[in-house]
Amino acid sequence: MQLSSKYTGTKLKPYKTAITQRQTTNYAAALGDALPCYLDDSREGGVIAHPVFPVAVTWPLCTNMGGDLEATDFPKEALLMQVHHTEHIRLHKPITPGLDLTIYGVVAAMLPHRAGTRIIMRYEAVDAEGEPVFTEHIGGMLRGVECEDQGASLEGVPKDFDGPKEQAPLQTGEVFASEVLPYIYDGCSDIVFPIHTSPAFAASVGLPGIIVQGTATLALSISKLLEMDGEAWPEEVLEIGCRFSGMVLPGSTITVRLLDKKAADNGMNYYFDVLGEAGKPALRNGLMVCKNQ
């Protein structure tokens, strides 16, 4: 199958949604993250959502992307070949219950890759006053789909970056991904896909069993980083990015490694990766940016 990058810039129908406290607290609960800022609505200012929560907000757009694209001739069967490749979230302000959001989606890039075609979707969420709340870039790999040209990209697509050179990590922390984690995350985030909850379906597509959702691995890693560092708080997270590079199986332990920590113009950059139980990378080129205190 071949695909042209002419679809870069194609918009999706706007999507409206309202953020509820049940959604934000459930997402934190799925991760076992009991920080008061996520759960205690008696605190001053109420609760905020976990920094990775935007992935749950945009999931309905991801699942109906083929139907919402304005280009009626887009070969929707190509989307069936898609796997989650990269994730990038920019938080313009903490997400709180009660927000009425409108999300605008666009095909931000289509690029050739040795494994197929990279498609990057941009989702921009604004509140009822039109103020930005978050911007998400989701990178998918269309396996076996050839990009028939040089590719194209809109302005503002996050650039790929390499993590720090191999060095001893500054800190490490372990997180156990329980046998029921994919089911809990599925139910609490409403991010539903059968490779995470149906052993029969997972086997039918050649997997050794169900696998933990990539966004769950990322969210668990961000929670662990905030816990390990102790100098950053969820309210201060400005940006998160990573590349998914391996499967995490339920019932295994992942190791979150803080590789480096550097001051930058917009705050403090935390570089990290995640290893699976066999020591193989599950997540590479991790970046968390927190505002200066």
Side-chain angles (χ1 to χ4, degrees), residues 6 13 27 31 50 57 87 90 92-93 114 123 135 155 166-167 212 220 281-283:
K6 70 177 183 178
K13 299 173 185 176
Y27 192 83
L31 307 171
H50 189 279
V57 180
E87 180 68 35
R90 181 169 284 116
H92 305 293
K93 62 180 181 181
R114 64 182 182 276
Y123 297 120
T135 302
E155 289 187 9
E166 187 63 33
Q167 61 187 46
V212 176
L220 289 168
L283 184 156

Side-chain angles (χ1 to χ4, degrees), residues 22-34 38-39 50 53 56 175-178 180-191 212-213 215-217 219-220 223:
R22 183 172 184 271
Q23 290 173 317
T24 63
T25 55
N26 277 3
Y27 192 83
L31 307 171
D33 196 327
Y38 301 139
L39 304 178
H50 189 279
F53 176 70
V175 181
F176 179 63
S178 76
V180 295
L181 172 63
Y183 300 94
I184 296 172
Y185 188 80
D186 171 293
C188 288
S189 68
D190 210 24
I191 296 175
V212 176
Q213 295 88 338
T215 56
T217 300
L220 289 168
S223 290

Side-chain angles (χ1 to χ4, degrees), residues 26 35 43 73 76 81 120 175 212 250 262 282:
N26 277 3
L35 285 180
R43 66 192 287 270
D73 63 336
K76 298 176 178 59
M81 314 301 290
I120 300 175
V175 181
V212 176
K262 293 183 178 179

Side-chain angles (χ1 to χ4, degrees), residues 3-9 107 109-112 147-153:
L3 193 60
S4 167
S5 66
K6 70 177 183 178
Y7 297 105
T8 302
V107 180
M110 296 190 70
L111 304 166
C147 185
E148 61 187 24
D149 50 40
Q150 297 291 320
S153 178

